[in-house]
Amino acid sequence: MQQPRLFSDPQVASFAEGRFLDGDASEIEVLDPATGAVLARVRGIQGATAARAAEANGVAARAMRALPVDRRVALVRALGAGVRADRDRLAAILTAESGKPIVESRGEVEYAATFFDNAAAAAEMAAGDMPAARAADRRVVVLREPVGATFAITPWNFPLAMVARKLAPALAAGCSQAVKPSEETPLTALAFAEIFARTADAVGAPRGAFSVVVGDAATIARAFIEHPATRKLTFTGSTEVGRILAAQCAPRLMRTALELGGNAPLIVFGDADLDRAVEQAMLTKFRFMGQTCISANRFLLEAGIAGDFLARLEARMRALAVGDPRDERTRVGPLVNDAAIAKVERHVADAVARGARVRLGGARVKVAGCADRFFAPTILENCTPSMDCAREETFGPVVAAMTFASEREAVELANASPSGLAGYVMTQDADRLWRVAEALDCGVVGANDGAPSAAEAPFGGRKDSGFGREGGAHGLDAYVDLKYISLRVRHD
Ligand code: ADP
């Protein structure tokens, strides 16, 4: 198998001020989740260097603001093309550091590219407006101005797509962005930085408009949030860290977008097309082994069809190939780290102790030549809302199934969570589909759809899943500040 070229040189630490830095803080070991081997050691940057990077991010924001829209659009489009051209290398690095099956990593590279396409198109079509004035001598003109220098913190489950989803609209709107990738997966973002530098040079855009800052998360976050140049924080990660960051941003009244964890319900009604429902359930549950924030976590099944649905789901799950994520056939790879697999085990043990039945899986599986980080596709029947697997995101290949008797009960169970990111409803009844989709208290609804993420959609949550939207024309709005000019026109 072809080995990706990785950042194994510890001198490569971060990409800021338009160049790769040497690094001046302790090394971060990037591990291969499949084998446990050290893939790379990246030297972190310390607080003072991060503050300098924040300053440079501010300087680049001024340059981006001055860049005409056609050049911004050219930059963003070329980044999409650059990502596609480098698909195989990016996918190989992504799989190496995250454990994502290689076929899915290629899919993520293409998905990331679509954010650049979409943001470029949105920026091209963006327009201010001029509301009808109430007074004869007044004209009000609404301008859309870039927010300025932005700071992003991204998670490990989409090492490229989360960078693209935040960066593409930022650049398209005329902002700069520094990204702090997860310490688990900084290599994909650093590989993308090479593409960025090349592309910025080619189209004549400022190289400093994108940075990748690697190091201790809290130190780097503090340096950027406290720096006066930083005008916006965008974060995707846990609710716990989201709360810490919101509190840190409060004294500066800094704009924040927080895309936090979910606990998605998937409701299957008796009138659903069960094969189609199973197909869509597989998509939401087994994308990256359930390690996504919109993965269905609670399966709510109408009592009359629960057994039939689970039997069909089980047949599909038995066919999933568990193995090395570099293997083209693999659909279930290793979980990202030891904490992830320990959480899945805790949820299964808690459910069983409280009366759930393991219908399939329920334990780790050995994969020859790999580390002990693989968990079997699992079905837990007879779950209840008080179990850990229903109250928390399991983030693993576990279907936690419970039953309901009425539409009303299904909606109540679905909404009985502090999280509100995604929800799914499977039914063939059009009236019910609308009723339930509208009643779900979350930001994203998959209606007979297990893969609702798309570059054109305004992704985001409510309640403990945070606020702010990314993607589509609304995604561009997140990087735009409105200003209006009020004019008096003399009529002599
Ligand atoms: P997960 O459980 O998915 O790893 P986290 O919220 O812990 O979610 O991590 C998401 C991102 O937040 C990562 O880039 C991580 O480095 C970063 N992070 C974690 N703790 C902090 C912190 N105290 N301040 C800023 N960023 C943090």
Side-chain angles (χ1 to χ4, degrees), residues 160-195:
L160 188 64
M162 288 307 102
V163 173
R165 192 161 78 187
K166 294 173 189 302
L167 177 68
L171 296 173
C175 301
S176 62
Q177 187 161 83
V179 175
K180 194 213 78 60
S182 167
E183 42 278 78
E184 313 277 351
T185 58
L187 305 178
T188 308
L190 287 167
F192 172 73
E194 284 186 335
I195 298 174

Side-chain angles (χ1 to χ4, degrees), residues 153-154 156 180-183 217-218 221 235-238 241 245:
I153 301 177
T154 55
W156 50 261
K180 194 213 78 60
S182 167
E183 42 278 78
F235 171 73
T236 299
S238 61
V241 174
L245 292 169

Side-chain angles (χ1 to χ4, degrees), residues 22 254 273 475:
D22 289 342
M254 192 189 292
D273 173 334

Side-chain angles (χ1 to χ4, degrees), residues 222-273:
R222 207 174 311 110
F224 272 86
I225 291 169
E226 288 176 0
H227 198 286
T230 308
R231 301 292 288 271
K232 170 168 176 148
L233 166 81
T234 167
F235 171 73
T236 299
S238 61
T239 299
E240 186 193 359
V241 174
R243 285 191 214 285
I244 295 171
L245 292 169
Q248 283 180 6
C249 289
R252 285 204 51 214
L253 302 176
M254 192 189 292
R255 278 170 171 257
T256 49
L258 303 174
E259 196 262 277
L260 310 176
N263 182 350
L266 182 143
I267 308 172
V268 185
F269 285 102
D271 54 26
D273 173 334

